[in-house]
Amino acid sequence: MAIDLNAIRNKLNKLQNTNNRTSNLWKPEPGKNQVRIVPYQYNKDNPFMELFFHYDLGKKNYLSPVTFGDADPVVEFAEQLKASGNSDDWKLGKKLEPKMRTYLPVIVRGKESEGVKLWGFGKQVYQELLTFIADPDYGDLSDLSAGRDIVVTFTPPEGSERFPKTTIMVKPNQTRATEDKNVAEMILNGQTEIFDIYKKCSYEDLKGALATWLNGGEEPGTITPVSSPNSAASPFKDTVSAAPANVGKTDNISAAFDDLFND
């Protein structure tokens, strides 16, 4: 029996991508964690990276082209659904919109020798961090000489709660990011580029994924939280974004898709 080399290569690529995410992404452990934001090697003017994802489209996560300011067929389809005048179509259109997750380069206190990690978080943490940075009393938290550490408290879901909680506290003292020359070198020249972890998806590939999903290639589920809410490989922990189970039953979905993409 001949060996399927393409299948082996695909499996190897998936394993390598998973290892890359695990080693370069950071998620807080339960309890208090202390990190320091550092300048992003690939954009020294702004350490914040806003990425937009389509979650669970055929049981896969896709980085939306909207991230790069490019056209996204799923967004175009969602806009057409929302404009149809049908309430079910509007709800589906909203669920198909990409969700933003923001990333920051950080070093983890006590684990500085592991180098710079990329910390991903949702809207609430993003707003809190921006509030501190906009306050002149705090200034640039990522400054290597006079920045401030951040305590990140992570609380897993308890009891009837469906989602974990993440809170932050900025330390009052200004400190150097590191006194270790090796760590300093990793901060300046040893970071992983975010798009080496999350690959850009082409317009045609994303259109094909959408068409396959709508035509029943994968059975969509009910609205559920991210299946692995604390997984580093998951683009976000706190977003609910699956499609309704009756997606294939909405009367004008197939027609809308044909009108938009098959003129």
Side-chain angles (χ1 to χ4, degrees), residues 12-25:
L12 179 60
N13 286 335
K14 288 181 180 179
L15 290 172
Q16 289 173 336
N17 288 337
T18 299
N19 290 337
N20 193 27
R21 292 181 182 183
T22 301
S23 62
N24 290 296
L25 297 181

Side-chain angles (χ1 to χ4, degrees), residues 186-215:
M186 286 190 288
I187 290 173
L188 295 174
N189 301 305
Q191 298 186 27
T192 298
E193 217 275 340
I194 187 69
F195 298 117
D196 285 341
I197 299 175
Y198 295 115
K199 304 294 185 180
K200 184 175 183 179
C201 185
S202 73
Y203 185 97
E204 289 301 320
D205 286 345
L206 198 52
K207 184 175 76 171
L210 174 63
T212 299
W213 182 60
L214 290 175
N215 288 327

Side-chain angles (χ1 to χ4, degrees), residues 112-132:
E112 290 90 344
S113 62
E114 295 181 5
V116 177
K117 306 291 184 179
L118 296 172
W119 171 31
F121 44 82
K123 180 179 179 181
Q124 181 175 341
V125 171
Y126 189 19
Q127 288 178 328
E128 290 184 39
L129 286 169
L130 291 178
T131 299
F132 280 109

